[in-house]
Amino acid sequence: MQARILVVEDEPAIADTIVYALATEGFVPHWSANAQAAIEAASAPSLSGPFALAILDVGLPDQNGFDLFRRLQQVDPALPAIFLTARTSEIDRVVGLELGADDYVAKPFSPRELIARVRSVLRRIKRSQAQNVAPAAKPGAQTLFAIDDERKQIRFRGRSLDLSRYEYRLLKVLAERPGRVYSRDELMNLVWDDPAASFDRTVDAHIKQLRAKLRSVDATLDPIQTHRGLGYSLRDDH
Ligand code: CA
């Protein structure tokens, strides 16, 4: 099935260019000119399934792209996003990535460059999904992680890990999207029952325990990466 792409951009000329480029490359673009229309489009059931990816302009008339992304994640937590930023300041970039955006493109950009980013994000996600589906059935496979959601167990290199509830949830979030950088706040919100009551250091402490447990299975791999000032991800280069 062709991938549906949500395009949220208030400038018609830019939106036209993006929509045309996506359609030419075989994607099915849906254009929303503001945040509200985007939320409605993402919430509406479609016969073609959910959006495969969202392209979000940061400067929208009714809400900035970052806030829109947070709202879209409430509708579809797995929706990947590429931000379009008009100001190329580092702040935009860092904020975008801290939110868990999958990529960004600074304006002005060439349609070809944007399409390349779209393809690369979709490829990455497909690969991480494929890694999650196959492994449990094949113990001893080369896959690093196998998640058994029913038993709340994760196998690492074929060995079952002895994880606490929060360690399990934390590793599951990371392992489901290898390469995706999660900020501490995001992990807190995704994993902990009562994020407000937890401390910032909670995430770090659990990451530390997870690393120790992974090391006890294989001391040569350190699959959890620290991104200074940004957060954590699981390596996707194995
Ligand atoms: Ca704009």
Side-chain angles (χ1 to χ4, degrees), residues 2 21 31 41 45 56 60-61 72 91 94 118 145 153-154 172 216 223:
Q2 290 168 311
W31 175 40
L56 307 175
L60 293 167
L72 286 171
I91 294 166
V94 171
V118 167
F145 291 94
Q153 276 184 357
I154 298 179
K172 180 171 183 281
S216 73

Side-chain angles (χ1 to χ4, degrees), residues 9-11 57 59 107:
E9 166 62 65
D10 56 312
E11 285 178 57
D57 182 28
K107 290 179 180 177

Side-chain angles (χ1 to χ4, degrees), residues 148-163:
D148 184 341
D149 218 3
E150 277 180 22
R151 293 188 180 80
K152 302 291 176 218
Q153 276 184 357
I154 298 179
R155 297 165 78 89
F156 174 56
R157 309 216 65 162
R159 292 257 309 269
S160 190
L161 296 166
D162 182 19
L163 302 174

Side-chain angles (χ1 to χ4, degrees), residues 40-110:
E40 282 162 21
S43 311
S46 163
L47 284 177
S48 349
F51 288 110
L53 182 141
I55 297 172
L56 307 175
D57 182 28
V58 172
L60 293 167
D62 52 343
Q63 190 167 43
N64 74 53
F66 300 132
D67 290 340
L68 170 59
F69 182 49
R70 286 202 192 89
R71 290 176 68 200
L72 286 171
Q73 283 188 311
Q74 287 166 6
V75 178
D76 178 0
L79 181 68
I82 296 177
F83 281 112
L84 304 177
T85 69
R87 288 167 297 143
T88 52
S89 66
E90 286 302 306
I91 294 166
D92 274 356
R93 300 181 173 193
V94 171
V95 171
L97 294 174
E98 266 210 26
L99 266 176
D102 294 271
D103 210 341
Y104 64 87
V105 178
K107 290 179 180 177
F109 56 87
S110 74

